[in-house]
Amino acid sequence: MPPRTWAFDAANNEIPVIDHPGQYLRYRMHVIDAKGDQLRDVIESKDGTVARLIERDGRALTEDEDKWEQQRLNDMIAAPDKYKRHVSGDVSGKKRAVELIKMLPDAMVFSYAPGQPQLPDFPGEQVVLDYKPNPGWHPPTTTSEALTGLAGRVWIDARTHHMVRMEGDIFQGVNLGWGMLAHIYPGGKLMLQQTPTQNDPNTRWIFSHFTEQLTVRALMLKTFRENSRVSSEGYTPVPAMPYQEAIKTLLATPLPKPATVALKQQ
């Protein structure tokens, strides 16, 4: 098939990965960023995702830290409007992600990677594509301008046409809104890896690893560096439930014991 056909199929399959309509999971998410090293217990509810902090910097929470976390979650139960504001950013982010994914087959020029290097930790055969910006494509939105500075490689499961891994390099600086909103400096790197949530590639897929290394100047005033690593594991299907019930489920789960944390570090 032409390389673009693989990219088009993978883009279409990525939309339900982002929206996952009618499918809900519980899993653990490990985040390392400027705020530190945090492990969260996550449940997807009908109203959005809720998460409870269960470890910080590789150790169990102190009693005061856990009390603060419980209070934060109980406040969300008591104030639905506050929770709605809390998840509004996630909703907007998913919408922007879907828009960008739909643009990729046209925004990029795809070619088969020489030698088709396979990922050693993925059981199925992969189709490997290199991509670079399409010089004939013009970004229709401010957000999509970021695609003009991105090039890299993508691995696609040959059986299901799902994206397994995507690597990207910011090879040239990109101005968003003529540089008035933001400027993304060259040299940044992105990586997204995905996996089926069960030992069956036809089940729901979810991200397993994400890394981001970017330097951005915002509003022509402040330059900041984004350096984060996110991973997820231990996926368990859960029934559809309102967010209040999801929070109560999180709060009813005992925290990991300190001995367990110490063993994990070893």
Side-chain angles (χ1 to χ4, degrees):
M1 293 191 299
R4 184 185 179 278
T5 302
W6 287 102
F8 182 81
D9 289 350
N12 282 337
N13 285 331
E14 192 64 18
I15 295 173
V17 174
I18 297 172
D19 288 333
H20 55 84
Q23 295 179 303
Y24 305 97
L25 295 172
R26 183 176 188 175
Y27 54 93
R28 290 194 171 182
M29 183 169 64
H30 186 196
V31 181
I32 302 175
D33 58 15
K35 297 179 181 178
D37 184 329
Q38 300 181 346
L39 182 67
R40 296 185 175 95
D41 188 3
V42 180
I43 296 180
E44 297 170 345
S45 77
K46 294 189 299 182
D47 308 307
T49 299
V50 295
R52 179 186 181 184
L53 180 65
I54 57 175
E55 290 180 14
R56 184 189 297 275
D57 298 326
R59 59 166 176 82
L61 298 185
T62 65
E63 185 176 346
D64 287 342
E65 287 172 334
D66 186 42
K67 285 182 179 178
W68 185 91
E69 184 70 1
Q70 291 186 48
Q71 185 62 52
R72 181 185 71 85
L73 291 170
N74 281 317
D75 287 346
M76 287 187 182
I77 293 177
D81 289 343
K82 182 178 179 180
Y83 175 76
K84 186 176 181 179
R85 291 193 299 271
H86 174 72
V87 298
S88 61
D90 289 341
V91 174
S92 299
K94 287 182 177 182
K95 183 178 179 180
R96 289 193 298 269
V98 168
E99 290 174 350
L100 289 176
I101 289 293
K102 289 180 177 179
M103 296 177 193
L104 278 176
D106 295 322
M108 299 295 173
V109 175
F110 293 88
S111 59
Y112 287 109
Q116 292 292 288
Q118 301 290 290
L119 298 173
D121 54 349
F122 186 79
E125 182 183 4
Q126 308 116 49
V127 173
V128 191
L129 306 178
D130 289 331
Y131 65 89
K132 60 183 179 180
N134 180 355
W137 181 78
H138 302 287
T141 65
T142 299
T143 303
S144 62
E145 292 174 4
L147 298 178
T148 62
L150 185 67
R153 178 167 288 180
V154 59
W155 287 257
I156 299 171
D157 179 23
R159 177 181 169 189
T160 66
H161 295 211
H162 273 93
M163 182 181 72
V164 179
R165 182 182 175 98
M166 184 175 186
E167 297 176 354
D169 293 310
I170 310 298
F171 69 93
Q172 66 180 8
V174 178
N175 287 321
L176 303 185
W178 297 282
M180 298 183 67
L181 293 179
H183 175 79
I184 304 174
Y185 289 90
K189 293 182 178 295
L190 301 169
M191 187 279 287
L192 172 67
Q193 191 156 318
Q194 300 187 142
T195 183
T197 55
Q198 301 177 32
N199 293 326
D200 179 357
N202 293 311
T203 60
R204 180 186 157 185
W205 287 57
I206 192 173
F207 85 96
S208 56
H209 296 86
F210 174 72
T211 62
E212 182 179 42
Q213 298 173 343
L214 296 177
T215 301
V216 180
R217 185 185 70 240
L219 299 175
M220 299 188 297
L221 298 174
K222 182 179 179 180
T223 298
F224 63 92
R225 291 177 175 83
E226 179 68 32
N227 189 350
S228 61
R229 289 183 290 164
V230 185
S231 60
S232 65
E233 63 179 7
Y235 318 106
T236 303
V238 294
M241 64 182 84
Y243 85 91
Q244 296 95 332
E245 183 179 343
I247 289 177
K248 291 176 181 177
T249 301
L250 292 174
L251 293 175
T253 304
L255 292 179
K257 296 180 180 179
T260 303
V261 176
L263 182 63
K264 178 182 174 183
Q265 290 175 329
Q266 292 173 5

